[in-house]
Amino acid sequence: MKKILMTLVVSIVFLGLAHGASAEGQHKRLAGKDRFEVAANVAKEGWPSGANIVFLANYDAFADALSATPLAYKMNAPILLSRPTSLGDTTKNKLRELSPSKVFVVGGTASISNNVVNEVKSLGISSVERISGKDRFEVSAEIAKRMPSSSKAVVANGLNFPDALAIAPHASRNGMPILLTRDNELPAPTVSSLLNRKPSQVIVMGGTASVSNGVYADLSAYSPLRIGGSDRYEVAANIIKKLNLSTSTGFLATGQTFADALTGSVLAAKKNAPVLLTRNSSLPEATKEITGQKRMTNFVVLGGTASVSNSVVKAVAGPLAGEMIVVDPGHGGSDPGASGNGVVEKEVNLDVSKRVKGKLDSNGAYTVMTRETDTYPTLSERAALANKQGADAFISIHANAYSNSDVQGTETFYDDTYAGQLSKELATYINNELVEKLDTNDRGVKNVGFKVIKEATMPSVLVELAFITNEEDAAKLRSDYYREQAAIAISNGVLTFFR
Ligand SMILES: [Zn+2]
């Protein structure tokens, strides 16, 4: 018993050392049955022993609240939500718990009525200050007036929420007000706020559809820096890229509604974490790319599963989070590889590789393919791609051929030039899974210095799924079912390796 335990401890320590930087993803979900409860739970997380000041914003209209985060952060105040004419039980109870001495109401009486103000006062909070204006642009200028001078300011589209909320944590930590604009016209309150504050630089959020080139030109006195992107997800990712933000923790919020990103933004600022946006049920490419490139493993998820599904969370914080894996579909372009029995190798390799990428990515890995179409990178280019990116594993996918059509089965190769022992382990896990899932003859794991795996410096393997030249094997290589099984097998092998 003791011996078994020791072996276990030793192997855990060994794996820990061997995989060094590898860290399984972690996440904490701040959920709730509705946005009021999400806001209350964010406040509980960030202000466990109460808050001296609380901000109150409309639950359904982002217009007035879009600029509130930097001021709320400065005052160390959580943002709670209210209906226009009543606080609602969740917010009321949270206000009692937080027990602030002052509440800021963001927006005019149409956003939050005086009845709500009276409800707040009836809780024993005598100081209530309303920040309002005739429109959202004036509200943003009014909020800016309450902030000390700063060398930078943000200008974001006021008619949509994602750009302003994605920059909110960074703006907050750096004391920058978020001023609002129309896409093609700089509103008067924003113009005068800038004239008063005289920032040396303005960060302009979004592409030309959000802030036109005309508005950008009007900002030329403030050395504007545009952070654009093809959609809201890419804009949020580009904030991290362009400003090189700390990514030790990332906040993940739906980009489809504003409330969770708004109420979560002050907490994100407190934790020096950027806000990443996602679709409810699928992780956008740009979000995947930035979390993968930055090797992010630690996330706070805002909202319940209806806002950010569990599969989206797994795709950033799953067991392979922080791992970068290069999948290499063998051959391609002018080099078809082997062919026979209705199978062309380069096509099988590419199809299985794409399926492998899908499975690895859905478990949190950041997977890059050496080719995504019918092209031919050289063998050295394939290995160099993995080396340059500092990949954690390299998997080259092939199908076999031999002059004797009776020869069949699965084999996996490794090379011992670099990371030999780990390559052998990875090859063994993958080969065992493949033999089982493909129900093929086990030809084993072999040390052969094929160029791609010899030049790749990380754990690297070359998989030969089955023999194109064998009737029975070829039938499997043609089959959609077995291609899927092959991808599951390779993905399982990788999961076991990194576990
Ligand atoms: Zn091949």
Side-chain angles (χ1 to χ4, degrees), residues 330-331 335-338 345-346 349 397-400 462-464:
H331 311 280
D335 169 17
E345 191 195 343
K346 67 176 180 179
N349 297 346
I397 296 176
H398 289 253
N400 232 332
L462 188 150
V463 169
E464 295 281 6

Side-chain angles (χ1 to χ4, degrees), residues 31-352:
K33 70 175 192 304
D34 56 29
R35 55 186 64 184
F36 299 96
E37 219 174 272
V38 174
N41 286 333
V42 166
K44 187 180 173 187
E45 173 77 11
W47 295 262
S49 51
N52 199 32
I53 296 174
V54 171
F55 275 53
L56 207 52
N58 183 295
Y59 83 113
D60 195 31
F62 58 82
D64 291 336
L66 222 40
S67 308
T69 307
L71 185 60
Y73 173 79
K74 184 182 165 282
M75 296 178 167
N76 193 20
I79 300 176
L80 296 179
L81 299 174
S82 174
R83 288 199 166 78
T85 55
S86 73
L87 269 178
D89 288 343
T90 305
T91 300
K92 197 178 275 181
N93 291 336
K94 197 68 219 174
L95 273 173
R96 279 199 191 98
E97 272 176 50
L98 290 167
S99 181
S101 61
K102 179 165 187 170
V103 167
F104 278 94
V105 168
V106 185
T109 51
S111 285
I112 295 182
S113 68
N114 284 329
N115 185 51
V116 172
V117 171
N118 290 334
E119 277 188 273
V120 173
K121 286 182 173 165
S122 75
L123 296 171
I125 306 162
S126 55
S127 178
V128 180
E129 184 175 337
R130 186 187 287 281
I131 306 177
S132 64
K134 72 177 193 314
D135 57 25
R136 62 193 69 191
F137 307 107
E138 210 172 281
V139 174
S140 76
E142 283 299 316
I143 290 172
K145 268 183 201 163
R146 290 168 168 81
M147 294 180 63
S149 67
S150 56
S151 61
K152 293 183 183 181
V154 172
V155 169
N157 188 308
L159 299 171
N160 209 346
F161 63 88
D163 296 350
L165 293 181
I167 191 74
H170 175 73
S172 297
R173 286 189 70 89
N174 293 280
M176 306 176 196
I178 300 174
L179 297 164
L180 301 179
T181 185
R182 292 195 180 83
D183 60 348
N184 59 1
E185 186 200 3
L186 211 52
T190 298
V191 172
S192 50
S193 183
L194 287 169
L195 284 170
N196 285 330
R197 297 184 67 90
K198 298 183 183 61
S200 58
Q201 184 170 54
V202 161
I203 296 177
V204 176
M205 290 307 304
T208 52
S210 298
V211 178
S212 68
N213 283 329
V215 169
Y216 191 85
D218 289 344
L219 294 166
S220 60
Y222 308 107
S223 329
L225 169 74
R226 186 192 285 280
I227 301 180
S230 62
D231 58 26
R232 59 191 61 185
Y233 309 106
E234 199 175 304
V235 172
N238 283 342
I239 292 170
I240 298 173
K241 233 181 253 182
K242 208 148 186 174
L243 302 174
N244 195 25
L245 300 185
S246 159
T247 49
S248 56
T249 299
F251 273 51
L252 190 62
T254 172
Q256 295 174 292
T257 50
F258 77 97
D260 297 346
L262 171 67
T263 56
S265 61
V266 189
L267 182 60
K270 275 166 80 91
K271 295 192 181 293
N272 194 17
V275 168
L276 298 151
L277 298 177
T278 181
R279 291 186 198 93
N280 302 353
S281 55
S282 71
L283 189 67
E285 190 66 29
T287 311
K288 180 78 200 174
E289 193 181 285
I290 192 70
T291 58
Q293 285 175 350
K294 295 283 184 182
R295 309 290 183 101
M296 296 174 71
T297 56
N298 201 11
F299 297 89
V300 174
V301 179
L302 297 169
T305 53
S307 299
V308 181
S309 70
N310 285 331
S311 64
V312 165
V313 174
K314 196 177 174 198
V316 293
L320 295 176
E323 307 297 354
M324 196 259 186
I325 298 167
V326 171
V327 172
D328 173 41
H331 311 280
S334 59
D335 169 17
S339 54
N341 288 316
V343 185
V344 178
E345 191 195 343
K346 67 176 180 179
E347 288 170 9
V348 178
N349 297 346
L350 182 59
D351 185 30
V352 172

